[in-house]
Amino acid sequence: MFAVAVITLLVGIFAGLSRLQITVPDISLQFAAFHGPLLISGFFGVVISLERAVAVKTATAYAAPVLNAVGTLLLLLFGIVAGAQLLAIAAATVLTVVSLQLLRKVKADFTVILAGSAACWSIGGMVWWFTNDTARATLLWFAFLIITIAGERLELTRLLGTPQHAKRWCHAIVVTIMIGALGYALVLPGAGTLFSVGLTLLAAWLIRYDLARHNMRQTGMTRYIAACLLSGYGWLGLAGVLGLLGAFVPGSPLRDSALHALGLGFVMAMVFGHALIIFPAIARIKVAYHAAFYIPLALLHGSLALRVAGKVLDITPLQQFGAVANALTFIFFAVVMVWGVRKGRNLSRRPATHG
Amino acid sequence: MSLPPDEITESSIRQVLSQIIDPEVGANIVDMGLIYNIALTPTAVSIEMTMTSPACPMGDMILDDIDQTLRHYLPEGMTHAVNVVWDPPWDPSKMSPSLRERFHLEDPDNIDDLDLEKYLK
């Protein structure tokens, strides 16, 4: 499953580059229209449902990543779009049910939010299936990623004793994002703006209440994760502001920048931070932290800034350069991860710890 | 180096377990209040603990680290077992005073952390 996720990520990246008239392997060209579905529903669908399955450890939970991986392979190998659509809906529905089942163990708001995020993926899949219009499903798919992160962060803010009024704000923001994304899929006026209000408020909420600010005073991996999170919140806020300026109105020239601020700036920064925890949890291979992890993080943000600047200023070569640099950043991050795994092998011979 | 058998106490086991860090939080699992109970017999250590979330995949890593650490510190012939429980659920009042201070958590008793419980009953 992990291999399918990696292949999907690579094809999705090449498909995205091909949309910017950048030369990519021929095989990727046919998937240019599937850049979003491959990366969000395909790649992140497998990764997030696999991550949840590792935690829950039931056969039902593992059905979600398996179904989604099979659906993605049907699209990649045989071009069967309906297979990818239907199996993504099935996988997302399983993830929703599995997340709701967690309420039996811990009755908490963040478990409901995690189930809500999975439901967004499921509804996004249904929109894709019924309309064959990936653009209409895009905000629901992003809501899946954003709300998953919001739920996981809300869970950790308990260490800070988050006051009740702050929690209610978080609940309201999550509902705003969900309604905005759903309204956008239904082509309701103002839905994109509502979604953007949610993004902007969520960025402010996370900067104010998340553990990350406190952990910037720590050292090592803890501070690195906090740096990834805080830098991602900046991009989340920027995506919200671009949305308020009309980025989610169909045909807006800001749309590409807003979506990539979300997908690369916010979501991938979370991935860079948590890969050192999630990869060992899934693959059962220890990854040692090293300060070199800051290099791909800086490259991610720098290349995205060039890409966004290129688009906003209408300088195509700058946008293309930023996009290629973004793609190379993933390869560089993979190299640093492999290095971390090699170092981790030595560490695992000693007792404990991750830190 | 393993602990001498006469030094195996609840306190020494807690000290050993406090080497295990949750990297996301930057705190050890004892200070976080994840260790609920440690039962000792002359030949076995039994630990009852929780996690902050059932959705977090890091649980297995923490359990692996506990296993690895106890193997290192317990004398030969002494076994260990870890049982993860969800009742009572973790809440911030279980954190150590030093960790609460670090997070500026003044009075966790004032925080109705699991208010959803009453709505779902």
Side-chain angles (χ1 to χ4, degrees):
Chain A
M1 271 181 290
F2 200 71
V4 176
V6 172
I7 291 165
T8 308
L9 176 66
L10 289 173
V11 176
I13 290 171
F14 282 132
L17 292 176
S18 74
R19 289 158 71 145
L20 294 173
Q21 282 75 53
I22 295 164
T23 307
V24 295
D26 285 349
I27 195 166
S28 306
L29 289 173
Q30 58 186 302
F31 297 111
F34 297 103
H35 170 61
L38 282 174
L39 289 179
I40 305 181
S41 186
F43 172 69
F44 281 112
V46 169
V47 170
I48 292 173
S49 55
L50 184 58
E51 176 194 286
R52 196 74 43 82
V54 167
V56 177
K57 297 186 191 62
T58 63
T60 311
Y62 277 100
V66 170
L67 286 167
N68 200 43
V70 171
T72 306
L73 281 178
L74 286 176
L75 173 62
L76 291 177
L77 298 178
F78 307 110
I80 304 172
V81 180
Q85 291 167 329
L86 290 173
L87 289 177
I89 295 167
T93 307
V94 170
L95 182 64
T96 308
V97 172
V98 167
S99 303
L100 282 172
Q101 285 173 340
L102 291 177
L103 278 167
R104 281 190 216 146
K105 285 184 178 172
V106 173
K107 294 177 177 63
D109 50 1
F110 61 84
T111 15
V112 178
I113 288 174
L114 289 177
S117 72
C120 286
W121 179 25
S122 181
I123 300 167
M126 289 176 202
V127 171
W128 185 27
W129 161 248
F130 281 117
T131 66
N132 262 321
D133 183 352
T134 56
R136 280 175 67 176
T138 301
L139 296 196
L140 278 164
W141 283 330
F142 269 111
F144 162 49
L145 304 182
I146 294 162
I147 296 172
T148 296
I149 294 167
E152 288 174 354
R153 298 315 300 171
L154 179 65
E155 186 262 307
L156 280 168
T157 60
R158 292 183 302 161
L159 283 108
L160 303 174
T162 313
Q164 278 301 310
H165 71 269
K167 287 185 175 186
R168 288 194 196 99
W169 265 107
C170 185
H171 302 162
I173 291 167
V174 165
V175 171
T176 303
I177 291 172
M178 288 173 85
I179 293 174
L182 188 61
Y184 186 85
L186 297 170
V187 204
L188 298 178
T193 305
L194 190 66
F195 183 78
S196 309
V197 168
L199 300 186
T200 312
L201 290 176
L202 182 61
W205 192 93
L206 287 167
I207 290 168
R208 167 68 182 81
Y209 291 109
D210 190 50
L211 198 60
R213 246 174 353 111
H214 290 262
N215 282 347
M216 280 305 287
R217 295 186 205 114
Q218 297 296 305
T219 56
M221 195 199 296
T222 304
R223 178 152 71 181
Y224 165 72
I225 293 172
C228 291
L229 292 166
L230 286 172
S231 56
Y233 300 159
W235 285 108
L236 175 67
L238 180 71
V241 170
L242 290 173
L244 291 173
L245 295 172
F248 300 122
V249 173
S252 167
L254 297 175
R255 181 182 168 87
D256 179 86
S257 299
L259 293 181
H260 287 88
L262 280 178
L264 288 168
F266 176 56
V267 179
M268 286 314 291
M270 304 296 120
V271 172
F272 276 25
H274 287 94
L276 284 82
I277 298 173
I278 301 304
F279 181 72
I282 291 174
R284 306 305 288 266
I285 296 169
K286 194 165 263 189
V287 181
Y289 165 77
H290 190 278
F293 275 100
Y294 280 101
I295 301 171
L297 179 66
L299 289 174
L300 176 76
H301 294 316
S303 55
L304 178 58
L306 291 179
R307 183 200 170 111
V308 169
K311 181 67 182 171
V312 172
L313 302 172
D314 201 20
I315 307 171
T316 304
L318 186 62
Q319 188 189 6
Q320 289 173 324
F321 178 79
V324 172
N326 259 157
L328 292 174
T329 297
F330 294 129
I331 294 169
F332 189 71
F333 181 75
V335 171
V336 178
M337 276 289 281
V338 170
W339 185 33
V341 168
R342 289 174 69 95
K343 282 186 69 183
R345 279 192 198 136
N346 299 331
L347 277 183
S348 64
R349 295 191 190 108
R350 299 178 215 155
T353 71
H354 307 290
Chain B
M1 201 179 85
S2 58
L3 291 167
D6 59 341
E7 285 184 22
I8 305 283
T9 61
E10 181 177 341
S11 170
S12 66
I13 296 293
R14 280 189 184 273
Q15 207 170 345
V16 161
L17 293 177
S18 68
Q19 295 178 34
I20 298 163
I21 307 289
D22 179 333
E24 175 89 61
V25 179
N28 72 67
I29 60 172
V30 175
D31 279 350
M32 285 174 70
L34 300 183
I35 305 298
Y36 281 174
N37 190 37
I38 296 172
L40 294 171
T41 70
T43 57
V45 177
S46 177
I47 295 166
E48 193 175 77
M49 69 174 295
T50 194
M51 302 284 173
T52 57
S53 165
C56 177
M58 226 178 66
D60 282 347
M61 283 174 66
I62 290 176
L63 293 175
D64 283 350
D65 280 348
I66 291 175
D67 179 59
Q68 194 181 340
T69 304
L70 289 178
R71 276 175 197 275
H72 183 80
Y73 284 103
L74 291 180
E76 206 168 316
M78 197 160 189
T79 62
H80 61 273
V82 181
N83 185 27
V84 177
V85 297
W86 300 101
D87 189 24
W90 180 90
D91 69 66
S93 68
K94 294 178 172 57
M95 284 158 46
S96 71
S98 61
L99 190 57
R100 274 186 258 161
E101 193 181 341
R102 193 183 110 195
F103 288 140
H104 310 293
L105 186 61
E106 302 298 333
D107 187 358
D109 292 339
N110 287 337
I111 295 154
D112 183 13
D113 192 62
L114 289 166
D115 59 341
L116 200 69
E117 189 115 17
K118 63 188 173 200
Y119 297 111
L120 293 173
K121 267 184 180 166

